[in-house]
């Protein structure tokens, strides 16, 4: 039996920059991911029928029409520094790898947070725990569900890494740093929450490491390194650090004040579980009532009271003002950088989309 190892190649890249659109490239990224996972599903289903649904755990998250922010920034990093149209296939592979890595991170994050919803769907660990109970399988349902989700996360990580294998060494170095940072940031996130540490500086660093660099800075630098323009890494670092921080602060506000029907995930989860976001770290240092609530995390009633206090004490407004300053910092970082004007304009437009989104 011969097993396929690679999906069908992408069609040839456009002949000139005039033919290139970001929407078209993102569609190529989605197709690359879908083709990769479809080929893997067929491959492993021929070994055992259980394996197809296992690959589908990755596919369900990776093809669920998310925001595609990370592949968007990866592609813009390549295009904005003048990456060659003839090598856009490699840029699409890199962007697809970044999105598959995001699926890895979400699967793992949902287990760590014990979150029941993601993008409006039951999370993988919850679904498989329920399946275990429904079929009266042996063992403990929760451990089974979490095991399946963690293994699916590993599978997404392997597929992501495989897409980066042909890339130049300089691009692979950025890729490796991205993976290390998001893992260390995730560890510190759960460690600080478990210890109940309220340190705004540390929470800010975790937000930058776990989310900001991973979402914006490193994907931009990944694309620039692929194009052979590492000298623009500093401008992308300045832009990515500022906008990445704004991105995470908006996440904090969405968790605290968002509508789960709009966001597709539970609202108030970080507050109820004393997850030391920058928002909560600031608030704990500001008000004794918040400190008392945070010392003994409760349920929906306590989360609601925490939201009220975040507004009453002015912490929520302070974070909004900080987001506005960070957006201006990000814009200044690229407005005079030696970038292709068309793609610089896209980067400037994205600052508002990222910082003022509602989910």
């Amino acid at each position: 039996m011969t097993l396929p190892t690679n999906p069908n190649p992408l069609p040839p890249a456009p002949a000139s920059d005039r033919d290139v659109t970001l929407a078209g490239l993102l569609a190529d990224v989605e197709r690359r991911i879908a083709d990769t996972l479809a080929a893997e599903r067929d491959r492993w289903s021929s070994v055992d029928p259980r394996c197809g649904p296992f690959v589908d755990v990755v596919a369900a998250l990776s093809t669920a029409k998310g925001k595609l922010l990370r592949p968007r920034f990866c592609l813009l990093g390549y295009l904005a520094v003048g990456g060659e149209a003839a090598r856009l296939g490699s840029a699409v592979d890199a962007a697809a790898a970044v999105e598959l890595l995001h699926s890895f991170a979400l699967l793992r994050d949902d287990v760590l947070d014990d979150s029941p919803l993601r993008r409006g769907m039951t999370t993988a660990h919850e679904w498989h725990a329920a399946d275990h109970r429904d079929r009266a399988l042996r063992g403990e349902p929760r451990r089974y569900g979490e095991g399946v989700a963690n293994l699916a996360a590993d599978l997404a990580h392997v597929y992501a890494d495989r897409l980066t294998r042909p890339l130049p060494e300089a691009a692979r170095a950025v890729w490796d740093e991205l993976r290390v940072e998001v893992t260390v940031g995730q560890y510190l996130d759960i460690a600080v929450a478990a210890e109940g540490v309220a340190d705004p500086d540390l929470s800010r660093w975790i937000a930058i490491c776990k989310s900001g660099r991973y979402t914006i800075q490193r994907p931009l630098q990944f694309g620039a390194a692929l194009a052979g323009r590492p000298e623009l890494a500093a401008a992308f670092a300045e832009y990515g650090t500022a906008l990445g921080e704004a991105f995470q602060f908006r996440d904090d506000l969405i968790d605290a004040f968002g509508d789960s029907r709009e966001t597709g995930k539970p609202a108030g989860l970080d507050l109820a579980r004393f997850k030391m976001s920058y928002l909560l770290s600031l608030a704990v240092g500001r008000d004794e009532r918040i400190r008392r609530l945070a010392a003994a995390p409760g349920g929906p009633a306590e989360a609601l009271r925490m939201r009220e206090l975040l507004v009453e004490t002015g912490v929520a407004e302070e974070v909004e003002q900080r987001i506005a300053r960070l957006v201006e910092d990000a814009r200044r970082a690229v407005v005079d950088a030696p970038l292709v004007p068309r793609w610089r304009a896209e980067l400037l437009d994205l600052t508002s989309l990222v910082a003022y989104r509602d989910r």
Side-chain angles (χ1 to χ4, degrees):
M1 176 174 58
T2 302
L3 301 179
T5 56
N6 291 305
N8 295 325
L10 288 166
S16 74
D17 183 67
R18 290 189 302 275
D19 300 321
V20 175
T21 67
L22 195 55
L25 290 174
L26 288 170
D28 287 344
V29 169
E30 291 181 304
R31 185 168 64 253
R32 184 70 160 116
I33 293 170
D35 287 350
T36 295
L37 297 177
E40 286 296 297
R41 190 189 201 287
D42 291 346
R43 176 191 184 198
W44 291 108
S45 292
S46 68
V47 175
D48 187 279
R50 296 173 184 82
C51 295
F54 176 53
V55 176
D56 285 344
V57 177
V58 180
L61 198 56
S62 302
T63 60
K65 296 296 182 184
K67 293 184 284 290
L68 295 177
L69 279 178
R70 292 153 194 86
R72 189 181 301 265
F73 280 114
C74 181
L75 291 167
L76 281 172
Y78 182 84
L79 295 167
V81 302
E84 297 175 7
R87 295 182 58 206
L88 274 171
S90 293
V92 167
D93 278 355
V98 170
E99 185 64 11
L100 279 167
L101 187 71
H102 186 46
S103 295
F104 150 78
L106 293 181
L107 285 162
R108 193 62 56 81
D109 199 43
D110 286 340
V111 171
L112 293 172
D113 290 345
D114 195 21
S115 180
L117 291 174
R118 170 68 65 179
R119 294 177 179 169
M121 302 184 297
T122 302
T123 47
H125 68 282
E126 288 283 350
W127 193 94
H128 284 88
D131 180 56
H132 184 288
R133 287 189 291 270
D134 291 345
R135 292 195 286 151
L137 301 180
R138 295 181 180 184
E140 202 278 309
R142 175 170 175 163
R143 287 195 67 185
Y144 177 80
E146 291 180 350
V148 172
N150 281 326
L151 289 169
D154 289 340
L155 193 64
H157 193 174
V158 171
Y159 291 151
D161 194 53
R162 195 168 70 185
L163 285 170
T164 70
R165 294 275 174 81
L167 301 184
E169 184 177 345
R172 285 277 303 180
V174 179
W175 170 249
D176 288 341
E177 191 65 14
L178 185 162
R179 293 185 292 162
V180 170
E181 286 172 344
V182 73
T183 303
V184 173
Q186 182 65 76
Y187 162 72
L188 280 175
D189 193 36
I190 63 170
V192 166
E195 295 170 14
V197 175
D199 182 340
D201 289 337
L202 180 57
S203 293
R204 176 180 176 272
W205 189 90
I206 292 170
I208 290 172
C209 187
K210 176 196 166 190
S211 186
R213 289 181 183 172
Y214 153 71
T215 300
I216 300 169
Q217 178 183 336
R218 296 304 184 199
L220 280 169
Q221 292 175 329
F222 192 24
L226 181 59
R229 297 292 304 277
E231 70 274 13
L232 287 161
F236 284 156
E238 189 177 347
Y239 173 94
T241 298
L243 190 57
E245 194 173 351
F247 173 88
Q248 185 57 47
F249 291 160
R250 178 59 58 196
D251 252 13
D252 293 347
L253 291 170
I254 289 171
D255 177 80
F257 300 103
D259 185 336
S260 61
R261 292 169 296 183
E262 297 292 329
T263 64
K265 56 186 179 180
L269 199 60
D270 288 355
L271 296 182
R273 294 181 180 173
F274 194 64
K275 193 170 182 180
M276 265 303 151
S277 64
Y278 180 74
L279 178 71
L280 190 53
S281 293
L282 277 179
V284 165
R286 185 72 57 83
D287 191 278
E288 176 60 32
R289 294 167 296 175
I290 293 176
R291 280 195 291 277
R292 286 198 301 269
L293 272 176
E302 288 78 11
L304 176 60
R305 179 57 180 152
M306 186 76 81
R307 283 194 289 271
E308 293 170 348
L309 289 172
L310 288 173
V311 175
E312 184 180 322
T313 58
V315 171
E317 178 58 29
E318 181 178 332
V319 172
E320 284 285 6
Q321 291 174 4
R322 184 173 181 85
I323 288 172
R325 292 194 298 271
L326 288 164
V327 166
E328 290 306 310
D329 290 344
R331 292 176 67 85
R332 277 194 296 270
V334 295
V335 73
D336 292 322
L339 303 175
V340 177
R342 174 185 176 187
W343 304 116
R344 179 197 290 115
E346 289 271 4
L347 287 170
L348 292 171
D349 289 344
L350 274 172
T351 58
S352 294
L353 176 68
V354 166
Y356 297 109
R357 70 194 192 283
D358 57 8
R359 56 179 176 171

